[in-house]
Amino acid sequence: MFFTYLRRELRRRRKAALVVASGLALGIALVIVVNSVSAGMNRAQGRVLESLYGLGTDMTVTKAAAPPEEGATVKRPRFRFDAKGDDDARQSQDIVMVQGFETLAASTVGRVAGQDGVADAVGGLNVRVMKVDGQFKPGEFKQEPGEGGRGGPAAGEVRGGGADFDVDSYSVYGTDVARQGLGPLTSSKITSGRTFAAGETSAAVAVVDSAYAKEKKLKVGGTLSVSGSKFTVVGIATADSGDAAADVYLPLARAQTLADAKDKITTVYVKATDSQRIAGVKDTIQKNISGTTVTTSADLAQTVSGSLSTASDLAAGVGKWLSILVLVAAFLVAGLLTSSAVSRRVREFGTLKALGWRSRRVTGQVAGEALVNGLVGGALGIGIGLAGAWAITAFSPTLTAQLGAGGGAGAGGGGRMLGGGPGGPGGPMGDSASRALDIALTAPVSLTTIGLAVALAVAGGLIAGGFGGWRASRLRPADALRRVE
């Protein structure tokens, strides 16, 4: 009897039912799209962070920046060239500098790994190489007759000459070849050759970023010279997104030797046992290992600017509140329309009560109709929401993530720098240059989002049914039968 009457009433009042379902569908679709876009924003920010930290890295540990001392001189690279007998002799010099000039003892890795909540930790050395290559050209002395007349002193001037030098700067990352599952190298894929072998801890081998290899015309099997040392290129790595974390990757021991930083590292890359414990692990490391700065992915995400950051703020702020307002409005409209429909069915419900229907049964009948309207609206909303999320993913609008002067990681074209934590030595903010990454936005729809949509549909139906049922339960048969529709 309940379902028969329900089906008949919904068919008879299908226009009103469609209006209620459409309002709920709009609110639910907006919730799905906003949640999907927010998930896409989080995924995009994750790709930005992975390009600096590498896959699986939850936080980094660097040496805490010491306050500047009064009268202290700023460390700068210095080039010195010796005079040579050959006037046109070519001069060349490499300077290998530890990024940020600050290091930690290599033993820090073991101390960090021993902290509660740390699943894995690996150390790396961030190095910058500056190569100056060119030559001095002496000028020519042009002699002219002296003004003192015949036999007087000669006069003249030096013309031409000068110096022509080319400066090349590129980044080098010293990686622990025995533990390559963590760190910046994981943000790139080997597209030619191979990666390091576990036994190549001190081997003269290198993995080169594909963009840098193209610029310098390097291939697998070729030779790369760094500060007079020859390295065989064993692999070409291509960054998964944006610029690579470094131009050249070397075994950690060889990078330490080049930078005169034996048993030193600049960054410890840390993986937590549980993503929910990251904040606690950060506090533990800072408490137990003094003189360090711990930076999590969330900390670095706050330094991301550009259209990605703006869109993320809009999705989290305006989009969130807009979807809530639309939902509240849809629920209220559904409730009011259902209540209004009950007022037009006074004679009908009065007759049913006179025939023996109790108020609870009348209320249940109204609530059942509203619940069906809510489920229909939920189905429509899920369909519209999925279509909207698919359209966003299909068109993949490009967003720019800017990291620089407060969130940067160095510039491309031989100027890329490794992430070691915002503001930390060797970290993304250790250089005033900026780094821009172009990220294609997607809108993934999760089962949780679908479940939320179904819950909202049921809630909308129950709210509307509650309005109408409360109104219907207050009707008295005698009063209802006296009214004429």
Side-chain angles (χ1 to χ4, degrees):
M1 180 66 178
F2 172 81
F3 292 104
T4 302
Y5 192 79
L6 178 66
R7 183 173 63 253
R8 186 182 64 119
E9 288 302 313
L10 289 174
R11 183 180 303 170
R12 187 161 64 96
R13 307 177 190 279
R14 54 180 174 270
K15 289 185 178 180
L18 184 60
V19 171
V20 173
S22 299
L24 291 174
L26 179 61
I28 291 170
L30 186 59
V31 169
I32 291 176
V33 172
V34 170
N35 274 274
S36 300
V37 170
S38 296
M41 297 294 179
N42 292 333
R43 179 179 294 182
Q45 286 189 337
R47 291 178 63 188
V48 174
L49 302 181
E50 285 176 2
S51 71
L52 299 178
Y53 284 148
L55 298 174
T57 302
D58 294 316
M59 67 193 77
T60 59
V61 180
T62 55
K63 186 174 182 179
E69 299 180 2
E70 186 176 353
T73 59
V74 179
K75 295 181 179 180
R76 293 188 178 92
R78 180 184 295 273
F79 293 88
R80 292 186 176 90
F81 294 103
D82 296 329
K84 296 184 179 181
D86 189 350
D87 292 338
D88 294 331
R90 196 165 189 85
Q91 304 273 8
S92 180
Q93 184 179 357
D94 288 0
I95 291 184
V96 183
M97 305 171 293
V98 172
Q99 186 62 53
F101 300 101
E102 299 287 351
T103 59
L104 294 168
S107 58
T108 307
V109 178
R111 296 176 62 191
V112 171
Q115 302 300 310
D116 184 38
V118 175
D120 194 12
V122 64
L125 185 69
N126 305 329
V127 173
R128 180 161 296 279
V129 180
M130 294 186 68
K131 182 181 182 65
V132 175
D133 183 75
Q135 63 186 23
F136 295 101
K137 292 184 178 181
E140 295 182 2
F141 182 77
K142 298 294 184 179
Q143 187 174 13
E144 298 179 358
E147 297 179 356
R150 189 173 183 180
E157 61 180 352
V158 177
R159 297 178 182 176
D164 182 16
F165 282 85
D166 177 61
V167 179
D168 182 27
S169 174
Y170 59 94
S171 57
V172 174
Y173 174 66
T175 182
D176 188 343
V177 299
R179 305 170 66 186
Q180 299 181 55
L182 200 61
L185 184 54
T186 59
S187 64
S188 298
K189 293 181 180 178
I190 302 297
T191 52
S192 179
R194 62 175 177 84
T195 187
F196 298 109
E200 294 177 328
T201 55
S202 300
V205 292
V207 173
V208 182
D209 173 57
S210 58
Y212 187 74
K214 182 178 180 180
E215 178 186 348
K216 300 300 180 182
K217 299 180 180 179
L218 296 172
K219 296 182 179 180
V220 174
T223 301
L224 172 70
S225 178
V226 182
S227 190
S229 298
K230 302 291 185 179
F231 292 87
T232 301
V233 178
V234 296
I236 304 294
T238 302
D240 290 336
S241 62
D243 291 335
D247 296 311
V248 179
Y249 301 89
L250 299 178
L252 178 58
R254 296 305 297 255
Q256 289 171 333
T257 301
L258 289 172
D260 193 21
K262 185 179 180 180
D263 296 328
K264 298 291 184 180
I265 57 172
T266 53
T267 313
V268 181
Y269 298 87
V270 183
K271 181 179 181 180
T273 55
D274 188 345
S275 61
Q276 303 299 319
R277 300 185 61 185
I278 291 177
V281 174
K282 173 183 177 179
D283 293 338
T284 300
I285 294 175
Q286 288 183 325
K287 178 182 178 181
N288 296 337
I289 305 177
S290 60
T292 59
T293 297
V294 182
T295 305
T296 66
S297 299
D299 296 330
L300 188 57
Q302 295 176 0
T303 71
V304 177
S305 60
S307 59
L308 174 59
S309 177
T310 302
S312 181
D313 292 341
L314 287 175
V318 177
K320 174 184 176 182
W321 287 109
L322 179 62
S323 61
I324 291 176
L325 289 175
V326 171
L327 268 179
V328 171
F331 286 174
L332 288 177
V333 169
L336 292 174
L337 288 177
T338 304
S339 179
S340 176
V342 170
S343 66
R344 293 194 299 269
R345 298 167 65 185
V346 171
R347 186 180 181 86
E348 174 188 339
F349 289 138
T351 302
L352 291 175
K353 283 192 172 185
L355 293 175
W357 280 42
R358 295 184 177 182
S359 297
R360 183 173 59 184
R361 186 173 180 183
V362 174
T363 301
Q365 191 69 45
V366 174
E369 295 174 14
L371 182 59
V372 171
N373 288 337
L375 292 176
V376 172
L380 290 174
I382 291 174
I384 297 173
L386 290 176
W390 174 85
I392 293 173
T393 302
F395 287 101
S396 298
T398 301
L399 300 176
T400 300
Q402 187 76 28
L403 298 116
R416 292 177 288 275
M417 299 170 67
L418 293 176
M429 293 201 286
D431 196 294
S432 60
S434 64
R435 175 182 181 184
L437 302 178
D438 291 331
I439 304 294
L441 177 64
T442 59
V445 180
S446 63
L447 292 177
T448 302
T449 302
I450 299 296
L452 176 62
V454 173
L456 290 174
V458 174
L462 292 177
I463 291 174
F467 271 95
W470 172 78
R471 183 73 180 272
S473 66
R474 299 184 64 188
L475 294 175
R476 291 186 301 172
D479 294 337
L481 292 174
R482 282 198 298 269
R483 292 187 56 178
V484 179
E485 293 183 329

